Amino acid sequence: MTVCAIEPAAGHENGAGRAGCTITADGCYAARLALAGESLFPERWTLDGPEPYAVPLPGNQPEEPGTEVQPLSDGRVLIHRLVEGRHAFSLLYPAGPGTGELPLGAVERPDGATRLGLLPPAPDGERAYALAVGPRSSTVWRVAGGAFGPEPVAEVQGRCSGGVWLDRAGRMLALDRETGGCTKAVVVDLERGGEMSPLLQITEGSDDRVLLADPDSGLLLLRSDAPSPGRDRLGWGVLGSTLPVRFPECLRVPDCTVTPFAIQPGQMLTPEGCAVALRIDGALGSWVGMWRPAERQLLHFPAPAGWLTGSGLWTADGELRLPYANRSVPCGVAALRMPGRERQPEGLDVRPRPGVPEAGDAGQLPVDGGESTTPSGELPPAVEPEADPAPRPVPLQQAPLGQLVTK
């Protein structure tokens, strides 16, 4: 199978390199800055047809390296440029042999200390948001899909990073807020004037960041130093569950950075059965990891040649599509499936509550354990399809999940 080249949504300050391409939430379109010689230009990818294809959207002059692009569900591409000290936004679209451009407006850049970048694509595909981070506060801007150009929709005290959508409506946004020397994930309600509430507070002094969420199952991937003060660990929890976060030992790969970038959708009542794709960066390059919370082993796969590192998309039936571009295939997608079948170990009964979760104290549950199958610094060999690790929860450490709130 062939599909289109893509990289993950940028915006997380989690140690991994920035992705070179962004995919709409419905998986129909992608956009990236492509290279022609030494010049950069926007490129839109169409992914929902029988074969993927790319449409170049060059402007009147090459783009700067810091330019951001993001596809919308109607096929237009939002572009964010820094122009004469302002953040300018426009929509690009194919127009005959050239590129049409619809200016949306600009956001002033008050000082050099304020950073502004696009948030991951909104679930509805019609709107787009950006996060401006100042010395003491952060502002969420709606930069596309509004009636009057860019407008602020929420202000949060503290310096924020990340950006994860928690629902299909594009209302609840998780941000990682730094205040008082600690970083905690909070929820911002964009339909209630930016009303904020805590999302993740494992311990009082830990740094707790949300990396990825699946609205269907409620599965939440996070990074925290709660189980190992001073050292970040990958963990998982379930939105709406009273069970705590777990920190599987198998997600620790020595001398490598491990970053989740896609969760299998459509698993309404089985978050522990969702397949998760992870980007693994080591001394010799990057490759792909696959893992399920119900299992205790991280499987390693070589990435396709030209993988736009860190990008990919799960289908509901468990196929991982990895976009790539190289000299022989300028727009392609490689398909992978996780070996084995979804299984749930005895005693692991994780179910999100129906509807919107409320605040509540969490119980306690041991964390998963397991060993990585690839030593640090080595690219993974092909994994045999018959590998079917037996899930065995091993009590290593307890890390309660406190004050889990979404409204």
Side-chain angles (χ1 to χ4, degrees):
M1 172 188 175
T2 307
V3 195
C4 211
I6 311 154
E7 285 220 357
H12 286 303
E13 296 178 355
N14 54 22
R18 181 175 173 174
C21 197
T22 307
I23 315 172
T24 55
D26 61 9
C28 291
Y29 291 101
R32 68 167 186 150
L33 283 182
L35 191 63
E38 297 182 357
S39 300
L40 293 169
F41 65 92
E43 190 174 67
R44 187 195 71 189
W45 302 62
T46 299
L47 304 178
D48 60 346
E51 291 290 334
Y53 63 92
V55 175
L57 296 171
N60 296 326
Q61 61 186 32
E63 304 294 342
E64 297 294 326
T67 298
E68 294 182 294
V69 292
Q70 186 172 115
L72 301 183
S73 60
D74 61 6
R76 294 182 296 178
V77 172
L78 174 71
I79 187 166
H80 164 217
R81 304 180 178 104
L82 189 61
V83 180
E84 297 179 351
R86 301 188 305 163
H87 297 276
F89 299 90
S90 297
L91 289 175
L92 306 179
Y93 54 92
T99 301
E101 181 167 342
L102 175 64
L104 298 176
V107 175
E108 297 294 333
R109 189 183 185 190
D111 53 63
T114 298
R115 298 179 291 106
L116 185 146
L118 293 178
L119 287 167
D124 63 6
E126 299 176 357
R127 295 168 289 178
Y129 295 86
L131 179 66
V133 183
R136 296 179 180 86
S137 65
S138 303
T139 304
V140 178
W141 288 79
R142 182 168 55 223
V143 296
F148 307 105
E151 57 182 324
V153 294
E155 184 172 356
V156 180
Q157 294 302 309
R159 295 177 59 84
C160 293
S161 59
V164 173
W165 297 102
L166 301 179
D167 62 345
R168 293 293 182 192
R171 172 179 174 177
M172 310 305 296
L173 176 67
L175 295 173
D176 302 325
R177 184 177 70 136
E178 180 187 349
T179 57
C182 290
T183 299
K184 302 291 183 185
V186 298
V187 179
V188 179
D189 188 337
L190 300 184
E191 290 189 5
R192 300 183 66 175
E195 180 180 293
M196 188 192 70
S197 54
L199 173 64
L200 188 65
Q201 297 186 27
I202 299 179
T203 66
E204 184 177 349
S206 59
D207 290 325
D208 310 317
R209 297 177 172 87
V210 172
L211 304 181
L212 210 58
D214 174 53
D216 293 338
S217 64
L219 180 62
L220 190 81
L221 275 295
L222 60 104
R223 196 183 300 278
S224 174
D225 63 355
S228 306
R231 294 181 298 163
D232 285 340
R233 293 274 302 273
L234 278 181
W236 68 279
V238 179
L239 289 168
S241 172
T242 57
L243 296 177
V245 168
R246 289 185 166 196
F247 293 91
E249 184 68 19
C250 66
L251 296 184
R252 301 177 69 182
V253 183
D255 301 321
C256 292
T257 300
V258 182
T259 308
F261 63 87
I263 300 177
Q264 180 185 1
Q267 314 302 301
M268 299 299 293
L269 297 177
T270 55
E272 73 282 357
C274 291
V276 178
L278 306 105
R279 164 183 176 172
I280 306 174
D281 296 290
L284 298 180
S286 301
W287 61 94
V288 179
M290 287 186 182
W291 166 80
R292 288 191 184 99
E295 299 175 358
R296 62 185 297 269
Q297 187 173 6
L298 173 63
L299 304 180
H300 298 255
F301 297 83
W307 180 39
L308 297 181
T309 311
S311 67
L313 182 73
W314 284 103
T315 63
D317 65 353
E319 181 178 79
L320 177 62
R321 297 175 176 175
L322 300 173
Y324 66 94
N326 53 46
R327 290 184 178 181
S328 57
V329 182
C331 178
V333 170
L336 290 176
R337 283 190 177 273
M338 189 170 181
R341 54 190 173 88
E342 295 183 1
R343 297 195 300 179
Q344 179 180 333
E346 183 179 355
L348 181 56
D349 186 14
V350 182
R351 298 289 185 272
R353 295 198 299 269
V356 180
E358 299 293 339
D361 294 330
Q364 295 195 357
L365 191 70
V367 298
D368 270 337
E371 296 298 329
S372 170
T373 59
T374 297
S376 63
E378 295 183 14
L379 291 175
V383 176
E384 294 297 328
E386 50 269 19
D388 187 12
R392 286 170 44 203
V394 177
L396 296 178
Q397 175 151 1
Q398 293 177 340
L401 175 63
Q403 299 186 25
L404 179 61
V405 177
T406 57
K407 292 188 177 180

